[in-house]
Amino acid sequence: METMTRDWTDERLEERFDRIDDRFDSVDGRFDRVDADLRELRGEMNARFESMQQTMDSRFESMQARMDNRFESMQSRMDARFDELQRTMNRFGGALIVALFAALLGIAIQI
C-alpha cells in the first residue's frame, strides 16, 4: 500500500485533476447543448400551440355564427307559430263569449 501512495506524486495528482476538470468541462458543454435544444423545442411548441389556438378560435367563431343563424331562424318560426296560436285562442275566446251571451240572452227571454 505504501508503494502506491509513493507513486502518486503531486505532478501526477495535478494531471489527474486536470483530466477530471476536462471531463467536467465536456459535460458542461453537453448540458449547454441540451439547454439550447430545450429552448428551441419550447419555442417551436409555443409557435405550434399558438397556431392551433388561432385555428380553433376561427373554427369556433364560424360554428358560433352558424348556430346563431339557426337559432334565429328557429326563433322566427316559433314566434310565427305562437302568434298564430294566440290568434286562434283569441278567436276561440271571442266565440265562447258570444256563445255565453247568447245562452244568457236565451235564458233571459224565457223568463
Side-chain angles (χ1 to χ4, degrees):
M1 199 62 152
E2 278 182 41
T3 57
M4 286 180 71
T5 53
R6 280 191 222 139
D7 290 340
W8 285 98
T9 62
D10 287 341
E11 187 176 306
R12 285 193 64 198
L13 281 174
E14 192 65 36
E15 287 175 13
R16 184 70 168 163
F17 284 126
D18 287 343
R19 287 196 342 231
I20 290 173
D21 287 342
D22 290 342
R23 297 290 302 256
F24 275 115
D25 290 342
S26 171
V27 169
D28 285 343
R30 284 188 241 156
F31 274 119
D32 289 341
R33 283 197 314 263
V34 168
D35 285 342
D37 288 346
L38 286 176
R39 282 189 196 98
E40 181 182 346
L41 182 61
R42 188 177 300 132
E44 290 174 4
M45 286 175 53
N46 286 340
R48 287 181 182 175
F49 282 128
E50 287 282 331
S51 173
M52 285 176 52
Q53 183 69 38
Q54 290 172 355
T55 302
M56 288 174 59
D57 286 346
S58 67
R59 287 183 179 177
F60 281 129
E61 287 172 4
S62 69
M63 186 178 4
Q64 179 75 34
R66 287 195 319 251
M67 288 175 63
D68 286 345
N69 288 338
R70 286 186 179 180
F71 282 127
E72 287 174 10
S73 172
M74 288 174 56
Q75 183 68 37
S76 64
R77 287 187 301 192
M78 286 177 59
D79 287 345
R81 287 181 178 177
F82 279 121
D83 289 342
E84 184 61 34
L85 179 63
Q86 185 176 11
R87 280 192 291 276
T88 302
M89 289 173 64
N90 287 339
R91 288 179 190 146
F92 179 74
L96 186 61
I97 290 172
V98 168
L100 284 174
F101 277 134
L104 287 174
L105 186 63
I107 294 173
I109 291 177
Q110 286 182 359
I111 295 182

